Amino acid sequence: MSAPGWTPRPAYRELRAYDVDPTPCALELADNTSPFGAPPAALRAMAEAIGDRLARYPTTYSLPLRDAIAAYIGVAPDEIMVGAGSDEVMGCAFRALGEPGDQVAYMDPTFVMARVFAVSNSLTPLPVPLTPAFDADAEALVAAQARITYVCTPNNPTGLPVAPAALQHVLGNAPGLIFVDEAYAEFAGTNLAREAPTHGRSLVFRTFSKAFGLAGMRIGFAVGARPLIAELEKARGPYSVTALGERAALAAVTEDIAWMRNGVARIIDARERFIASLRAAGLAPFPSAANFVFLPVRDSRATMLALRDQGILVRNFTGLPGVGDALRISIADWPAMQRVLGALATTLSGEVRPLVAGERTDA
Ligand code: PMP
């Protein structure tokens, strides 16, 4: 056989496609989305939009949605760029603002797409291990002197918020650009996005996929100073946000805030009860400021498969630095979490694990 006449770009060769377990399960707790469905006003808006202008392109830069998000966050509309999920927005930021060869420092472990976007844009990934308490190592992130420093708070997969002092240290001292991924902000009760435009060198990424229950519509946004946002808009192109997604998010952020806050409160309540029950069973879950709980276990793959056999899908991590094996379990309402506790009790019977050295037990 002759050569196919092409080879992947070298930077792409080591990348793998995003790996999500496709097994349908009665209880899907592997992707940190909302267990409460889509918000009611968003559903109505989408129903009305069907048959309306779907044969035409959506608005070029989602201006009405941008205005509404600006009011929600507390910044000006042109300090916001809307995209097809925060994944797209992050991708645009790396593409627009990183020169091939530049270094990207990021917490390790963190959201996998930070590394993927760095590598796929020919940037050099620079993973910076967490501290022994699993916080961002602010000194080491700054010492990396990277062109882009990526911080995720609360961090995925640990669920821990970056300590405010560590975040301030990075924002104050890291050179170049600082990307703050605040996908779980509504659960943490933070709004770092509001400060991004005045900071000037930072972009904060937010999403409608988590607290707002619209992961399927793919809407995310970045907040930052006008010149940075203008560069991101160029990298996005005109029509990536669908007309339906735009309508849904616009309705959600104007009419469904109370619905969203109610869901967040229910998740936080179930999360705290779940963590307390795991601790009472002798396990060592991390405290969480997000809508998921990170649970170190001896063999995460075996535990994940055993739970899957019982109709519960969770995400497994193996060999994480400083942690070893762990599960990341999205939080649903309390009755669902009681089912998870029952399944874990059978699966992990006898697995009583001491706290990892230096593990945080504070929230
Ligand atoms: N950032 C973090 C930290 C996430 O966990 C996720 C979702 N897994 C995303 C960004 C991407 O979210 P979106 O659906 O908006 O692309």
Side-chain angles (χ1 to χ4, degrees), residues 85-87 111 152 156 181 183-184 207 209-210 218:
S86 56
D87 270 355
F111 181 46
C152 184
N156 178 2
D181 190 334
Y184 301 95
T207 182
S209 297
K210 309 300 179 183
R218 313 300 305 124

Side-chain angles (χ1 to χ4, degrees), residues 18 31-32 84-88 90 110-111 113 150 152 154-156 181-184 205-210 215 218-221 292 328:
Y18 198 70
D31 63 5
N32 308 336
S86 56
D87 270 355
E88 181 187 42
M90 269 174 71
T110 195
F111 181 46
M113 295 308 286
Y150 169 90
C152 184
N155 192 25
N156 178 2
D181 190 334
E182 211 186 7
Y184 301 95
F205 305 114
R206 299 275 296 256
T207 182
F208 281 82
S209 297
K210 309 300 179 183
R218 313 300 305 124
I219 303 283
F221 57 97
F292 56 86
R328 194 195 65 200

